[in-house]
Amino acid sequence: MSAYVAEKEIQILYADTDMMGVIYHGSYIKWLELGRMQLIEDIGYDYLKMEREGYLAPVHNVNITYAKSLKYGDRAFVRTWVEENTGVRTIYGFEIVNGNGEVCTHGTTTLIVVKKVDGDFQPVIFKRVFPEWHAKYEEIKVKK
C-alpha cells in the first residue's frame, strides 16, 4: 500500500440515498473530496491557502468501482492515499469501507493544478509551484 493513508468517517445522511434505499452513486464523489481534504490536512498543508495564492486543483478524472452497497444508518469511512505523483498530476487512491472494514467502493481520482490567468485556467507544474508539498507527496505515496 503506501506510507500514509488518511482516514475520515463519513456521516451518511438520508439525503445520500436513492429510491432503492442505498447510497446514491453520485454521493460518493463528495466523500472523495472529504478524503483528499483529510489527507492534505493530515500532512500539514492547506488547500484554501493554495487557492488564496491563485491556484486551484480541479478533478481531471474519476474512476470508481462500486463493490458493496452502503445504506442509511451504516457507518462508513473513506481512506485516501497518494497513488501517483508525477509533478504535473496527482492520482489519489481511495476506498470507502463500512463499519466492518469491508471495502464497498474503491478507485482513483486524478487532479491537476491550474492558475487563473486572464480569466482562463492554465495548467502549472505542481512540483515547481509547490515544491515542499510535492516532496511530501513523494515521501508518502504508494511505493512501487
Side-chain angles (χ1 to χ4, degrees):
M1 181 58 84
S2 71
Y4 183 75
V5 177
E7 183 171 285
K8 173 127 181 115
E9 184 163 10
I10 299 165
Q11 181 182 9
I12 297 179
L13 304 174
Y14 184 78
D16 294 323
T17 63
D18 63 17
M19 65 184 297
M20 295 180 288
V22 299
I23 302 306
Y24 172 66
H25 71 277
S27 295
Y28 290 85
I29 299 293
K30 68 181 176 183
W31 298 343
L32 305 183
E33 183 70 16
L34 288 173
R36 282 193 306 276
M37 293 300 100
Q38 187 66 56
L39 183 140
I40 290 167
E41 179 182 310
D42 285 359
I43 65 169
Y45 290 92
D46 184 347
Y47 186 83
L48 286 175
K49 183 176 184 275
M50 181 177 81
E51 283 190 349
R52 285 191 295 271
E53 293 176 14
Y55 297 94
L56 302 163
V59 174
H60 176 70
N61 185 58
V62 177
N63 180 348
I64 298 178
T65 298
Y66 301 95
K68 183 175 178 59
S69 296
L70 284 167
K71 298 179 180 74
Y72 178 70
D74 287 347
R75 289 190 73 197
F77 303 83
V78 58
R79 297 176 180 156
T80 308
W81 57 89
V82 176
E83 185 77 26
E84 186 177 329
N85 182 40
T86 69
V88 176
R89 71 184 191 310
T90 302
I91 300 176
Y92 297 88
F94 71 86
E95 60 186 17
I96 296 174
V97 300
N98 63 20
N100 297 324
E102 299 168 305
V103 176
C104 299
T105 308
H106 60 89
T108 60
T109 57
T110 303
L111 281 77
I112 59 172
V113 177
V114 299
K115 183 165 182 83
K116 192 169 186 175
V117 179
D118 298 327
D120 198 16
F121 297 104
Q122 302 294 321
V124 299
I125 298 174
F126 178 58
K127 69 181 176 182
R128 284 192 197 146
V129 178
F130 297 100
E132 296 86 12
W133 197 337
H134 175 267
K136 186 64 175 179
Y137 274 8
E138 284 296 296
E139 178 186 323
I140 69 167
K141 75 178 182 179
V142 170
K143 309 301 184 213
K144 294 184 180 185

